[in-house]
Amino acid sequence: MQPLNFILLWHMHQPDYRNYETGEFMLPWVYLHAIKDYSDMVSHLEAHPSMKAVVNFVPVLLDQLEDYAAQFAMGQLRDPLLRLLATPDLEQVSTRDRLRAFDSCFRSNHVTMMQPYPAYKRLHDMHEALRERGEAELAYLSGQYLSDLLVWYHLAWTGESVRRDNEAVVRLMTQGRGFSYADRKQLLDVIGELIQGLIPRYRKLAESGQIELSTTPHYHPLAPLLIDFSSARDSEPGSNLPMETIYPGGKSRVARQLDSAIESHVRRFGITPRGIWPAEGAISAPLLEILADHGCQWSASGEGVLANSLQMSNAPEPLPERGRYLYRPYRVEGGAGGVTCFFRDEKLSDMIGFEYSKWFGRDAAEHLVHSLEDIGRNATPGENPVVSVILDGENAWEYYPYNGYYFLNDLYEILENHDSIRVTTYQDYLATAKQVDVVTLPVLAAGSWVYGSFSTWIGDRDKNCAWDLLCAAKHSYDLVMQSGRLTDEEKAKAERQLASCESSDWFWWLGDYNPPYVVSSFDQLFRDNLANLYGLLKLPVPETVREPISQGGDAHELGGAMRRAS
């Protein structure tokens, strides 16, 4: 087989769950993914020092991790679920807090995160049996029940590497029930230590050269749409757009979020990032020009974007077999030519994201490696293929037994010792790549890593309504910022709140293909952010911001935190 370069990029991201007015975390996903997925992912890399990878951290995730670390350092928790875990007497908690625990502590994949633990499943069965008799019956559940539930929920959300290595976690899982306040305090200490150690552990791997750390514009905005709504029609010419024709000042907002991301990266990791993974792998020619102006060397997107771009260039000729065009770097003609673009193999990325969880770990790892070998065998003589597999670094693993432990361990072990697959990073690949390996792309069709389009974030009634609400808030923001009514400190707070409103995540979750309870949470968070922005601008909150945007629906196989590429 022809030797090939293999680049694995893990994208780490959570939107900002903080209410800036109160300082409270409204949802617990940052710290739960921290103790489960971010801990496991760095542990696997530490256990396989010859395994290279690119790890992309979105700055707003790092902001929140540091916020949690500071909360533990000061002993002042601003996350309601963590506060409950730290409450000495759970017999005395409010009805609201009891209901919060019942509502929160069964939110997981029950097949992989509850059924393996009989003591945890018993708590769930007890809750369901009482609830079927009427909500009032839940009042009979004791403080001890609440203690056991809180402990088991956090144990279920603990990474497999932690379960194997941490003596306190092993003891608690063996104990199984009757957890005391001292037990809960010990678990809380473990959570704090895990979170406080995360950024230093990844930084150490980057300093050794084992991983490359990349970044994303600070609050994960869907940058091509901020620049130009009509870019959605590159991939879907008939797409419906918001009533507003353009997001006001969108290009400067993207540049501002990129500046902030680079500053964040330098401060935390001591180096300027070489590459930018744009939010949702969403790229357009104007975005690449902004990246080039900021000295970015590489960026990446989905295979569908490349296919659409080549089709625009070659129409009406059909595309060749994907292996003839996918596994090479590209540069776009024009002002974006300074940025080398890579496009992920959607089939292999989706196998990890959606299929391998149903396989035995070793079988899945070997299948992925055999697929890479097939790519090498099918390469033409003299070709230097580069295969990119890119996906979320946290969302797939709850569907795997043991949080994907065996799959990742076996995959890294096989790749470490493979003679023909060179596992590398984008910066290392570009340091040795020949100019002849880089292909010029005459036209770039704007799109993302989902369907090669922007339909996940714009085009239907609810999503377009959210964009119009954001545009209205931005018009107000611009007027107030130019009026001189705010102090510099007030302006900084308003700018941060606007950046959070610009996150792609709010638009992702709106729509009838996501579960209603999740849609409700993110709809409320988005509108709370807008309301807070108006408050910081010292303006009344429009009634339209108080009205729910989306209801959710039943097509759950099309929704969720991850989405197939096609």
Side-chain angles (χ1 to χ4, degrees), residues 79-289:
D79 187 291
L81 208 54
L82 284 175
R83 271 204 306 271
L84 269 177
L85 185 65
T87 299
D89 186 1
L90 290 172
E91 296 286 0
Q92 303 301 318
V93 298
S94 67
T95 299
R96 181 182 180 185
D97 279 340
R98 285 172 58 84
L99 293 177
R100 184 192 302 278
F102 298 150
D103 183 57
S104 300
C105 291
F106 300 119
R107 290 197 178 184
S108 62
N109 185 312
H110 288 192
V111 174
T112 59
M113 298 174 67
M114 179 183 291
Q115 290 183 9
Y117 311 113
Y120 185 22
K121 187 174 185 303
R122 181 182 64 82
L123 296 172
H124 176 261
D125 293 345
M126 190 182 305
H127 174 271
E128 291 301 290
L130 288 173
R131 190 169 64 86
E132 287 176 5
R133 289 159 53 180
E135 295 289 335
E137 297 292 312
L138 297 177
Y140 290 103
L141 294 172
S142 67
Q144 184 60 63
Y145 174 93
L146 211 56
S147 180
D148 288 1
L149 178 60
L150 285 161
V151 169
W152 265 112
Y153 184 62
H154 287 89
L155 290 176
W157 271 92
T158 301
E160 184 66 19
S161 61
V162 182
R163 293 183 195 139
R164 290 167 180 257
D165 298 334
N166 189 284
E167 291 183 4
V169 170
V170 171
R171 183 188 67 77
L172 291 171
M173 295 190 78
T174 303
Q175 179 179 328
R177 60 194 301 178
F179 299 114
S180 65
Y181 171 62
D183 293 328
R184 286 187 279 116
K185 185 69 171 64
Q186 189 173 34
L187 179 56
L188 201 67
D189 290 342
V190 170
I191 293 170
E193 290 166 5
L194 289 171
I195 293 172
Q196 290 168 328
L198 274 177
I199 294 176
R201 291 170 73 185
Y202 281 99
R203 183 172 57 229
K204 184 177 180 181
L205 291 179
E207 289 170 350
S208 74
Q210 184 180 350
I211 66 172
E212 175 184 1
L213 291 170
S214 59
T215 191
T216 297
H218 202 120
Y219 283 80
H220 205 259
L222 207 297
L225 292 181
L226 287 192
I227 296 169
D228 184 3
F229 288 151
S230 67
S231 64
R233 290 179 170 164
D234 280 12
S235 57
E236 296 193 332
S239 177
N240 293 319
L241 299 181
M243 292 178 63
E244 292 276 353
T245 57
I246 195 167
Y247 182 66
K251 190 172 182 179
S252 64
R253 291 298 305 149
V254 171
R256 175 70 191 97
Q257 292 222 29
L258 183 57
D259 285 334
S260 180
I262 293 171
E263 293 166 7
S264 157
H265 199 91
V266 171
R267 174 170 57 82
R268 287 170 167 129
F269 302 116
I271 188 172
T272 301
R274 306 284 182 86
I276 302 293
W277 168 254
E280 316 294 3
I283 61 173
S284 64
L287 173 60
L288 290 183
E289 290 174 9

Side-chain angles (χ1 to χ4, degrees), residues 191-488:
I191 293 170
E193 290 166 5
L194 289 171
I195 293 172
Q196 290 168 328
L198 274 177
I199 294 176
R201 291 170 73 185
Y202 281 99
R203 183 172 57 229
K204 184 177 180 181
L205 291 179
E207 289 170 350
S208 74
Q210 184 180 350
I211 66 172
E212 175 184 1
L213 291 170
S214 59
T215 191
T216 297
H218 202 120
Y219 283 80
H220 205 259
L222 207 297
L225 292 181
L226 287 192
I227 296 169
D228 184 3
F229 288 151
S230 67
S231 64
R233 290 179 170 164
D234 280 12
S235 57
E236 296 193 332
S239 177
N240 293 319
L241 299 181
M243 292 178 63
E244 292 276 353
T245 57
I246 195 167
Y247 182 66
K251 190 172 182 179
S252 64
R253 291 298 305 149
V254 171
R256 175 70 191 97
Q257 292 222 29
L258 183 57
D259 285 334
S260 180
I262 293 171
E263 293 166 7
S264 157
H265 199 91
V266 171
R267 174 170 57 82
R268 287 170 167 129
F269 302 116
I271 188 172
T272 301
R274 306 284 182 86
I276 302 293
W277 168 254
E280 316 294 3
I283 61 173
S284 64
L287 173 60
L288 290 183
E289 290 174 9
I290 294 173
L291 299 186
D293 290 343
H294 283 73
C296 172
Q297 294 184 7
W298 65 261
S299 190
S301 185
E303 177 181 337
V305 173
L306 177 59
N308 289 341
S309 301
L310 293 172
Q311 195 66 61
M312 288 178 71
S313 303
N314 299 331
E317 295 298 318
L319 289 178
E321 190 274 325
R322 62 197 286 270
R324 300 277 70 85
Y325 62 81
L326 180 56
Y327 306 118
R328 56 188 65 183
Y330 286 83
R331 289 201 182 109
V332 181
E333 281 187 357
V339 181
T340 304
C341 291
F342 300 86
F343 298 90
R344 72 170 188 158
D345 186 311
E346 292 179 345
K347 291 182 179 179
L348 295 183
S349 300
D350 279 355
M351 287 298 291
I352 298 176
F354 299 97
E355 299 299 330
Y356 287 149
S357 58
K358 307 163 192 170
W359 297 35
F360 287 112
R362 185 74 184 188
D363 291 346
E366 289 179 347
H367 181 269
L368 178 57
V369 173
H370 291 329
S371 299
L372 294 172
E373 291 170 343
D374 286 342
I375 293 169
R377 277 190 286 269
N378 291 328
T380 58
E383 188 179 348
N384 183 30
V386 53
V387 181
S388 295
V389 167
I390 305 173
L391 69 156
D392 290 345
E394 68 272 86
N395 289 321
W397 309 122
E398 69 178 88
Y399 299 94
Y400 281 70
Y402 304 102
N403 210 41
Y405 179 89
Y406 291 103
F407 166 69
L408 288 168
N409 184 67
D410 289 349
L411 176 64
Y412 287 5
E413 182 182 88
I414 296 170
L415 290 173
E416 275 187 308
N417 299 294
H418 202 288
D419 293 333
S420 300
I421 299 174
R422 177 187 177 230
V423 183
T424 185
T425 64
Y426 288 124
Q427 68 177 13
D428 288 351
Y429 170 83
L430 289 174
T432 59
K434 300 175 182 177
Q435 189 63 36
V436 70
D437 294 329
V438 182
V439 181
T440 298
L441 194 60
V443 178
L444 179 66
S448 77
W449 66 346
V450 182
Y451 316 142
S453 75
F454 298 141
S455 62
T456 300
W457 303 272
I458 197 170
D460 76 10
R461 183 187 64 84
D462 294 348
K463 298 176 191 297
N464 288 351
C465 175
W467 280 111
D468 285 328
L469 290 175
L470 178 59
C471 287
K474 180 58 162 57
H475 283 303
S476 296
Y477 172 90
D478 289 341
L479 289 172
V480 172
M481 295 295 270
Q482 294 163 13
S483 71
R485 284 188 288 167
L486 301 184
T487 66
D488 288 344

Side-chain angles (χ1 to χ4, degrees), residues 465-474 476 497 501 520 522-535 539-550:
C465 175
W467 280 111
D468 285 328
L469 290 175
L470 178 59
C471 287
K474 180 58 162 57
S476 296
Q497 183 65 75
C501 293
S520 175
F522 280 85
D523 183 344
Q524 187 68 56
L525 278 171
F526 175 61
R527 290 182 294 107
D528 284 349
N529 276 304
L530 288 176
N532 287 346
L533 176 59
Y534 280 106
L539 296 173
V541 179
E543 283 303 313
T544 51
V545 172
R546 302 188 188 279
E547 299 170 0
I549 301 168
S550 188

